[in-house]
Structures are given as structure tokens and as C-alpha cells.
Amino acid sequence: RPVLIPVKKGKDTIRVFVLGESAAMGDPEPAFGLAQVLRVLLEERFPNKQFEVINTALTAINAHLILPLARECVDKEPDFLVVYMGNNEVVGPFGPGTVIGNNAPNRTLLNWGLAFKRFRLGQFADQIIHSRFSEPKEDAWGGLAMFENKHVSLKDPRLAGVYERFKTQMTGLATLGRSSGIPVLISTVPCNLKDSAPFASSLPEDLAVDLKATWQGHFEQGKLLFDARLYSDAYLKLKEAESISLEHADLQFSLGTCLLRLGQAEEAKPHFVLARELDLLRFRADNRINQIIRDLCQGRESFGVYFMDAVKVFADQSEQGLPGQDLFWDHVHLKFTGNYMLARLYAERIAHILTLQGKVSAQDDPPAWSKAETCARSLGLTRWGQYQMTATMLSRLNQVPFTGQSNRAELNVRMAGEIRLLRLEPKAELLDAMSGVYQAA
């Protein structure tokens, strides 16, 4: 989606660049994503200022490419860099679970290669190398289905390199902000814990064959008892499987779901977290990624690095303390409510910094932050828009690898119910109401 901004920033203009992956971009519909909600919040709060919130986030990239993007943004008179990333470090470019580019090469060679490919000569050389020495492959982007067999376990030694490179790139972002005098706002990255079952699971390879068979029997019996809504019995049978081996993502997710149905949300949470950590298709920021973000930002406000803990905020504001389908379309992509919550975190911090900088007055009684409903109306989000996004996501979620999730049938029923509620009846008053929203926006 092309974006045009003035080369020279206006006198009363605050320019904000949003950096990140598809979740930051606002997939499935960036018109209602983080950047747009952030713009509306800031405009309503400070009506005497002009806000340009530029969305540079892209699908399937990660820190290797976001840092060079940030360097380009610095040349365009930004007042803030907003960073929301961490889901693609394993599956994005140069990660061990990627289908994009080569798997994690030497970091120095990687940086030199990226720099060289900024020039046409480098791009030409890259094409020659791939045509001569690589297997032919389709260029079309196939979404997450392309990653179906790219399994990376929690014990994979390549993860150490992923974390080290992520830390280096994030440190580069912080250093860039300090050297340029531009505040960098960085958040932890929440995900759908409660309703997004793991994409792929397996038992440890070194588990004895007879123990695997016994484990499988307990697990299947537990699932049957769960389907019969005998949650206490299902939990006990699943615990028997766990006593043999706990290193199975879907077992942990099933244990957590059982405990939720039994009203024990606090006990369920560690199981959901472990299910995410053990997921063999690592499409979600894990504990280590978020801890790197926390450690990097700690004590750096004086250097212009500001920290938001979206993981904690999403948990605090979610039913039972577990973010789920109320905030996320899938495993990481946010619904409008989730985008609003995230944008509020960044907006509040930006407002605080602007006040400290003297760019806005510290009023005794500033305007209240716009509610989610107000932002939705300002952006032209109607029942028709909700219907379109829901239908798009229902279609997407019935493709690989989502079809491998153990709770996919249950989620499909829920989303089909949402679509029935949102489906439009062609009544004049309804169409007139939506037309009014579009015209106002």
C-alpha cells in the first residue's frame, strides 16, 4: 500500500513511523489497524496538532529488515518510532524455520549481503546465484501454509542464534534512537493463548516406543472424555499422559482448556504458555523474545527508549487473564478491540513525551481519550466492514496450517455464528446509517 508524505514536515506536524510485521501492519485490514487507530487517538487528544502516522510494517519480515527500515525513517524527520515486532524471528527472513531466504547465515555476511542487495548489481548477482545453485520454486507468496513442515522445537540449538540476533537488532534500534535523538517506543508482543491451539506437536524423539504408545492411549482417551464434556475425567487422563512426557504442545493446550472449563483459570495459564513454547511452528513471540525486549528497555528512558508491556496489559484486561478470540483473529493478528488497546498504550506514552518536550501544553483538564467505538466510527468501521474481515479470516483459517489446530472445528462454529449476526439485511435504514458513517469518515 503506497504511502505519500510531504518531503518537508509541516510546522505543527508530529510525524510517527510504525515499524513491525503483519500484526503491526493491521492484517487483515490495515485501514483499522494500529497505525490508523493511533492517529485518531492523537488527533482527538491534540486537535491543534497535525499527526502523520506512517505505517511501514510489512507481512513476513523481522528484525533483520526492520532495523534498515528504521534507518531510512530517521532521514524523514520523525518525531517518534513506534516498534511492535517479535512474532517472525524464527519464521521470517534468515530464521531457522523460514521459507524466505537462507537459514541464519553468519551475521556479518548477512548484513553485507543485505547492504549489497540495495543496489541493482547486488540484486542481479543474487538472481544469478539462485538460478545457478538453488532449486526452482514458486515466487508467489503462499501465506503460512508455506511453513507447514518447517518445525523448530524448543530445544533446537538454532534458537540460541535467533535470540542473539534479535537482541543485536533491537539494540541497534535503541542505539539508532539515541544517536538521532528520536524517541523509540517498544512493546512486548502478546498473542492468543486461550483460543489458538498449537500448529504442530510431537513427542521427544528419544522417548521409548512402548512409552509413546502408552502416552498416545492416555492422550486419545483424554480427548474423547473432553469431547463428552467430562472435564474432570479428561484432565486426570491427560495428566497420566503428562506423567510420561509433558513435551507435547497440544497436550499442554488440552490440559489448560480442561482447567478453564473447570473454572481454574489461574492453574490453566502455565499450560497455555507452555503450549505456545512447545509449538513446533513458531509463529508467536515466545517468552525469551519478550524477555529480551524487557531487558533491552529497562532503565533506558534517559536514552530515549520507552517501554510498554502489552503482554501484561492484554492479560489484565482479558477475561480470566488469558487473551483469546475476543482480541485476536488468529494466533497474533489483532481485532479492532486489540488494536485499540495497543494503540492506547503507545498514544499515552507519546502524549507524555510531547508534554515533556513542550510540544503540547500540560492542560489541567485535557480531553479524554476517545473510546474504541468513537475511533471505529472515525475510521469508517461499520457492520459491513466487520462482516468482510470475519469472512476473510474464516476462509483463511480453514487453510493449512490452521486446519491442523485441535480446536479448529469449535472455532469455526463460533466464527460462523458471528458471520450470521453480521450478515446484512438490505434495509434502507441500515444502509443509510452505514452511509452516514462513511461520509463522516
Side-chain angles (χ1 to χ4, degrees):
R1 300 190 181 215
V3 176
L4 292 175
I5 58 171
V7 173
K8 191 68 179 173
K9 186 174 64 177
K11 180 182 177 183
D12 290 320
T13 298
I14 306 297
R15 186 172 283 179
V16 181
F17 285 91
V18 174
L19 296 149
E21 312 137 339
S22 56
M25 184 181 76
D27 188 63
E29 182 44 74
F32 310 121
L34 166 64
Q36 292 288 5
V37 180
L38 179 59
R39 176 182 60 80
V40 170
L41 284 168
L42 292 170
E43 286 177 346
E44 294 290 330
R45 184 78 165 190
F46 305 109
N48 295 326
K49 291 288 182 181
Q50 176 72 30
F51 286 91
E52 295 175 350
V53 182
I54 299 109
N55 191 353
T56 72
L58 290 168
T59 297
I61 66 173
N62 61 14
H64 291 302
L65 300 182
I66 292 171
L67 179 56
L69 277 172
R71 292 194 182 107
E72 293 192 18
C73 293
V74 166
D75 297 333
K76 296 169 177 60
E77 301 186 83
D79 293 281
F80 298 94
L81 298 179
V82 163
V83 180
Y84 182 70
M85 67 177 187
N87 289 315
N88 290 354
E89 295 312 303
V90 175
V91 297
F94 311 110
T98 192
V99 293
I100 312 163
N102 299 320
N103 289 351
N106 175 276
R107 191 173 74 233
T108 303
L109 292 176
L110 189 159
N111 290 334
W112 275 103
L114 287 175
F116 187 42
K117 283 190 281 187
R118 289 171 61 89
F119 301 99
R120 292 185 181 183
L121 177 61
Q123 295 163 26
F124 176 69
D126 186 59
Q127 286 184 351
I128 295 295
I129 291 169
H130 280 282
S131 65
R132 291 281 304 270
F133 301 108
S134 299
E135 295 181 7
K137 61 181 180 181
E138 293 290 334
D139 289 333
W141 172 248
L144 297 190
M146 300 170 69
F147 296 86
E148 184 180 10
N149 298 313
K150 293 290 185 177
H151 292 181
V152 179
S153 74
L154 183 60
K155 294 182 177 179
D156 194 308
R158 294 175 295 176
L159 282 180
V162 169
Y163 300 137
E164 187 270 333
R165 283 184 288 274
F166 180 68
K167 181 179 179 181
T168 299
Q169 302 294 337
M170 293 298 286
T171 302
L173 275 170
T175 303
L176 177 67
R178 183 181 183 183
S179 62
S180 61
I182 300 164
V184 179
L185 285 66
I186 303 175
S187 173
T188 52
V189 184
C191 68
N192 185 343
L193 286 175
K194 184 175 65 175
D195 295 314
S196 184
F199 291 102
S201 309
S202 71
L203 288 168
E205 293 183 3
D206 57 358
L207 190 65
V209 174
D210 58 334
L211 289 178
K212 283 185 179 179
T214 304
W215 184 98
Q216 193 67 37
H218 292 324
F219 180 67
E220 291 176 0
Q221 289 176 47
K223 299 285 277 185
L224 288 171
L225 290 166
F226 180 88
D227 291 340
R229 300 187 179 183
L230 300 171
Y231 302 124
S232 294
D233 294 335
Y235 177 75
L236 292 174
K237 186 55 69 173
L238 292 170
K239 287 296 285 184
E240 289 184 44
E242 189 185 43
S243 68
I244 298 172
S245 177
L246 57 78
E247 295 180 30
H248 189 276
D250 204 46
L251 169 65
Q252 294 301 327
F253 185 81
S254 299
L255 284 165
T257 307
C258 275
L259 288 168
L260 263 191
R261 300 292 168 87
L262 293 169
Q264 300 177 45
E266 197 60 37
E267 293 81 358
K269 186 171 183 178
H271 291 288
F272 286 119
V273 171
L274 186 53
R276 179 196 62 201
E277 300 295 294
L278 292 170
D279 195 344
L280 296 176
L281 291 177
R282 311 187 76 81
F283 297 131
R284 295 177 283 183
D286 60 21
N287 280 337
R288 187 74 186 101
I289 290 290
N290 278 317
Q291 193 57 51
I292 289 170
I293 294 171
R294 291 188 185 95
D295 293 343
L296 171 76
C297 296
Q298 188 173 10
R300 288 189 182 236
E301 279 204 13
S302 59
F303 301 147
V305 177
Y306 297 86
F307 173 65
M308 280 72 56
D309 197 348
V311 168
K312 182 179 185 304
V313 171
F314 274 50
D316 290 344
Q317 297 191 31
S318 296
E319 185 181 356
Q320 301 167 313
L322 288 163
Q325 207 176 21
D326 52 334
L327 299 176
F328 293 91
W329 288 110
D330 49 21
H331 53 305
V332 295
H333 298 107
L334 295 160
K335 291 184 174 180
F336 188 81
T337 304
N339 278 313
Y340 174 81
M341 285 171 55
L342 186 62
R344 269 288 297 270
L345 277 178
Y346 285 110
E348 289 171 2
R349 188 53 63 92
I350 287 173
H352 174 70
I353 298 168
L354 287 174
T355 303
L356 292 178
Q357 292 174 339
K359 293 181 179 179
V360 297
S361 60
Q363 303 173 46
D364 293 333
D365 189 22
W369 290 107
S370 296
K371 302 292 186 185
E373 297 79 10
T374 305
C375 291
R377 189 175 182 86
S378 296
L379 292 171
L381 177 57
T382 66
R383 181 172 157 188
W384 171 240
Q386 289 279 19
Y387 174 84
Q388 286 184 301
M389 289 190 289
T390 307
T392 295
M393 290 307 299
L394 182 59
S395 173
R396 183 188 299 181
L397 296 173
N398 277 284
Q399 300 172 19
V400 174
F402 297 100
T403 49
Q405 292 180 294
S406 59
N407 64 339
R408 177 48 43 202
E410 179 185 349
L411 295 179
N412 283 347
V413 170
R414 285 194 222 168
M415 290 191 75
E418 290 178 27
I419 285 180
R420 283 194 296 273
L421 289 173
L422 292 167
R423 186 173 287 124
L424 294 175
E425 298 175 23
K427 294 181 178 179
E429 59 269 25
L430 177 60
L431 299 179
D432 286 345
M434 287 196 298
S435 177
V437 172
Y438 291 134
Q439 289 173 6

Short mmCIF file of all heavy atoms in Angstrom, two decimals, residues 67 70 74 79 81 170-186 296 299-306:
data_model
loop_
_atom_site.label_atom_id
_atom_site.label_comp_id
_atom_site.label_asym_id
_atom_site.label_seq_id
_atom_site.Cartn_x
_atom_site.Cartn_y
_atom_site.Cartn_z
N LEU A 67 15.29 -3.07 11.16
CA LEU A 67 16.33 -2.11 11.52
C LEU A 67 16.75 -1.26 10.32
O LEU A 67 16.83 -0.03 10.44
CB LEU A 67 17.53 -2.82 12.15
CG LEU A 67 18.71 -1.93 12.55
CD1 LEU A 67 18.27 -0.82 13.51
CD2 LEU A 67 19.83 -2.76 13.19
N ALA A 70 14.09 1.25 9.75
CA ALA A 70 14.12 2.32 10.75
C ALA A 70 15.17 3.37 10.39
O ALA A 70 14.94 4.56 10.56
CB ALA A 70 14.41 1.72 12.13
N VAL A 74 14.56 7.52 9.79
CA VAL A 74 15.25 8.59 10.51
C VAL A 74 15.55 9.77 9.60
O VAL A 74 15.59 10.92 10.04
CB VAL A 74 16.54 8.04 11.16
CG1 VAL A 74 17.46 9.16 11.61
CG2 VAL A 74 16.19 7.15 12.35
N ASP A 79 9.20 12.21 14.58
CA ASP A 79 9.19 12.61 15.99
C ASP A 79 9.20 11.39 16.90
O ASP A 79 9.64 11.47 18.04
CB ASP A 79 7.95 13.46 16.28
CG ASP A 79 8.00 14.79 15.56
OD1 ASP A 79 8.70 15.69 16.07
OD2 ASP A 79 7.37 14.92 14.50
N LEU A 81 9.47 6.78 16.73
CA LEU A 81 9.47 5.47 16.08
C LEU A 81 8.72 4.51 17.00
O LEU A 81 9.10 4.31 18.16
CB LEU A 81 10.90 4.96 15.86
CG LEU A 81 11.81 5.78 14.94
CD1 LEU A 81 13.19 5.13 14.86
CD2 LEU A 81 11.20 5.92 13.54
N MET A 170 17.56 -5.37 18.05
CA MET A 170 16.81 -4.48 18.94
C MET A 170 17.73 -3.46 19.59
O MET A 170 17.36 -2.29 19.77
CB MET A 170 16.09 -5.30 20.01
CG MET A 170 14.97 -6.18 19.48
SD MET A 170 13.64 -5.26 18.69
CE MET A 170 12.82 -4.56 20.12
N THR A 171 18.93 -3.89 19.95
CA THR A 171 19.91 -2.94 20.48
C THR A 171 20.26 -1.89 19.44
O THR A 171 20.43 -0.71 19.75
CB THR A 171 21.19 -3.69 20.93
OG1 THR A 171 20.83 -4.68 21.91
CG2 THR A 171 22.21 -2.74 21.52
N GLY A 172 20.33 -2.32 18.17
CA GLY A 172 20.58 -1.38 17.08
C GLY A 172 19.48 -0.34 16.98
O GLY A 172 19.75 0.85 16.74
N LEU A 173 18.23 -0.74 17.18
CA LEU A 173 17.11 0.20 17.16
C LEU A 173 17.24 1.22 18.29
O LEU A 173 17.04 2.42 18.09
CB LEU A 173 15.78 -0.54 17.30
CG LEU A 173 15.17 -1.10 16.02
CD1 LEU A 173 13.99 -2.01 16.36
CD2 LEU A 173 14.71 0.02 15.11
N ALA A 174 17.57 0.72 19.49
CA ALA A 174 17.72 1.61 20.64
C ALA A 174 18.88 2.60 20.41
O ALA A 174 18.76 3.79 20.72
CB ALA A 174 17.97 0.79 21.91
N THR A 175 19.97 2.10 19.87
CA THR A 175 21.12 2.96 19.60
C THR A 175 20.80 3.99 18.53
O THR A 175 21.21 5.15 18.62
CB THR A 175 22.32 2.09 19.14
OG1 THR A 175 22.60 1.11 20.14
CG2 THR A 175 23.55 2.94 18.90
N LEU A 176 20.04 3.58 17.52
CA LEU A 176 19.61 4.49 16.46
C LEU A 176 18.80 5.64 17.04
O LEU A 176 19.00 6.81 16.69
CB LEU A 176 18.79 3.73 15.42
CG LEU A 176 18.20 4.55 14.28
CD1 LEU A 176 19.31 5.09 13.38
CD2 LEU A 176 17.24 3.68 13.46
N GLY A 177 17.88 5.31 17.94
CA GLY A 177 17.06 6.34 18.57
C GLY A 177 17.90 7.32 19.38
O GLY A 177 17.71 8.54 19.30
N ARG A 178 18.86 6.78 20.12
CA ARG A 178 19.69 7.64 20.96
C ARG A 178 20.57 8.56 20.12
O ARG A 178 20.68 9.76 20.39
CB ARG A 178 20.55 6.78 21.88
CG ARG A 178 21.41 7.60 22.84
CD ARG A 178 22.27 6.72 23.72
NE ARG A 178 23.02 7.51 24.68
CZ ARG A 178 23.90 7.00 25.54
NH1 ARG A 178 24.14 5.70 25.55
NH2 ARG A 178 24.56 7.78 26.39
N SER A 179 21.17 8.01 19.08
CA SER A 179 22.10 8.81 18.27
C SER A 179 21.37 9.88 17.46
O SER A 179 21.94 10.93 17.15
CB SER A 179 22.90 7.89 17.34
OG SER A 179 22.03 7.22 16.44
N SER A 180 20.11 9.61 17.11
CA SER A 180 19.36 10.56 16.30
C SER A 180 18.48 11.48 17.14
O SER A 180 17.90 12.44 16.60
CB SER A 180 18.49 9.80 15.29
OG SER A 180 17.56 8.97 15.96
N GLY A 181 18.36 11.18 18.43
CA GLY A 181 17.51 11.99 19.29
C GLY A 181 16.03 11.76 19.09
O GLY A 181 15.20 12.59 19.48
N ILE A 182 15.66 10.63 18.50
CA ILE A 182 14.26 10.31 18.23
C ILE A 182 13.77 9.28 19.25
O ILE A 182 14.38 8.20 19.37
CB ILE A 182 14.09 9.75 16.81
CG1 ILE A 182 14.55 10.79 15.79
CG2 ILE A 182 12.64 9.36 16.55
CD1 ILE A 182 14.78 10.21 14.42
N PRO A 183 12.72 9.57 20.00
CA PRO A 183 12.20 8.58 20.95
C PRO A 183 11.75 7.30 20.24
O PRO A 183 11.08 7.36 19.20
CB PRO A 183 11.00 9.29 21.59
CG PRO A 183 11.24 10.74 21.37
CD PRO A 183 11.96 10.84 20.06
N VAL A 184 12.17 6.17 20.79
CA VAL A 184 11.78 4.86 20.26
C VAL A 184 10.88 4.18 21.28
O VAL A 184 11.27 4.01 22.43
CB VAL A 184 13.02 3.99 19.98
CG1 VAL A 184 12.60 2.62 19.45
CG2 VAL A 184 13.96 4.67 19.00
N LEU A 185 9.66 3.83 20.87
CA LEU A 185 8.69 3.21 21.75
C LEU A 185 8.58 1.74 21.39
O LEU A 185 8.25 1.40 20.25
CB LEU A 185 7.33 3.89 21.63
CG LEU A 185 7.15 5.27 22.28
CD1 LEU A 185 8.02 6.33 21.62
CD2 LEU A 185 5.70 5.69 22.25
N ILE A 186 8.88 0.86 22.35
CA ILE A 186 8.92 -0.58 22.10
C ILE A 186 8.01 -1.30 23.08
O ILE A 186 8.02 -1.01 24.28
CB ILE A 186 10.36 -1.11 22.24
CG1 ILE A 186 11.31 -0.37 21.30
CG2 ILE A 186 10.41 -2.61 21.95
CD1 ILE A 186 12.77 -0.75 21.45
N LEU A 296 16.13 -5.13 27.32
CA LEU A 296 16.72 -4.08 26.50
C LEU A 296 16.22 -2.70 26.93
O LEU A 296 16.98 -1.74 26.98
CB LEU A 296 16.36 -4.31 25.03
CG LEU A 296 16.74 -3.16 24.08
CD1 LEU A 296 18.23 -3.17 23.84
CD2 LEU A 296 15.98 -3.26 22.77
N GLY A 299 15.59 0.76 32.17
CA GLY A 299 16.50 1.84 32.54
C GLY A 299 17.01 2.67 31.39
O GLY A 299 18.03 3.36 31.52
N ARG A 300 16.33 2.65 30.23
CA ARG A 300 16.84 3.38 29.06
C ARG A 300 16.00 4.60 28.69
O ARG A 300 16.20 5.17 27.62
CB ARG A 300 16.92 2.44 27.85
CG ARG A 300 18.04 1.41 27.95
CD ARG A 300 18.19 0.68 26.63
NE ARG A 300 19.24 -0.34 26.72
CZ ARG A 300 20.29 -0.41 25.91
NH1 ARG A 300 20.47 0.50 24.98
NH2 ARG A 300 21.16 -1.38 26.03
N GLU A 301 15.07 4.99 29.53
CA GLU A 301 14.24 6.16 29.18
C GLU A 301 15.09 7.41 28.99
O GLU A 301 14.80 8.24 28.14
CB GLU A 301 13.16 6.40 30.24
CG GLU A 301 11.95 5.51 30.06
CD GLU A 301 10.70 6.09 30.67
OE1 GLU A 301 10.68 7.29 31.03
OE2 GLU A 301 9.71 5.34 30.80
N SER A 302 16.15 7.54 29.80
CA SER A 302 17.01 8.72 29.66
C SER A 302 17.74 8.72 28.32
O SER A 302 18.23 9.76 27.87
CB SER A 302 18.04 8.76 30.80
OG SER A 302 18.84 7.58 30.80
N PHE A 303 17.80 7.55 27.66
CA PHE A 303 18.41 7.45 26.34
C PHE A 303 17.37 7.55 25.22
O PHE A 303 17.69 7.41 24.04
CB PHE A 303 19.16 6.12 26.18
CG PHE A 303 20.26 5.93 27.18
CD1 PHE A 303 20.57 4.66 27.64
CD2 PHE A 303 20.99 7.01 27.67
CE1 PHE A 303 21.59 4.47 28.57
CE2 PHE A 303 22.01 6.82 28.58
CZ PHE A 303 22.32 5.55 29.04
N GLY A 304 16.09 7.75 25.60
CA GLY A 304 15.04 7.90 24.60
C GLY A 304 14.38 6.61 24.18
O GLY A 304 13.71 6.55 23.14
N VAL A 305 14.51 5.54 24.99
CA VAL A 305 13.85 4.26 24.71
C VAL A 305 12.74 4.07 25.74
O VAL A 305 13.01 4.03 26.95
CB VAL A 305 14.84 3.08 24.76
CG1 VAL A 305 14.12 1.76 24.53
CG2 VAL A 305 15.94 3.27 23.73
N TYR A 306 11.51 3.93 25.26
CA TYR A 306 10.34 3.87 26.15
C TYR A 306 9.66 2.51 25.99
O TYR A 306 9.46 2.02 24.88
CB TYR A 306 9.37 5.00 25.83
CG TYR A 306 9.98 6.37 26.07
CD1 TYR A 306 10.74 6.99 25.07
CD2 TYR A 306 9.82 7.02 27.28
CE1 TYR A 306 11.32 8.23 25.29
CE2 TYR A 306 10.40 8.26 27.50
CZ TYR A 306 11.14 8.87 26.51
OH TYR A 306 11.71 10.09 26.73
#
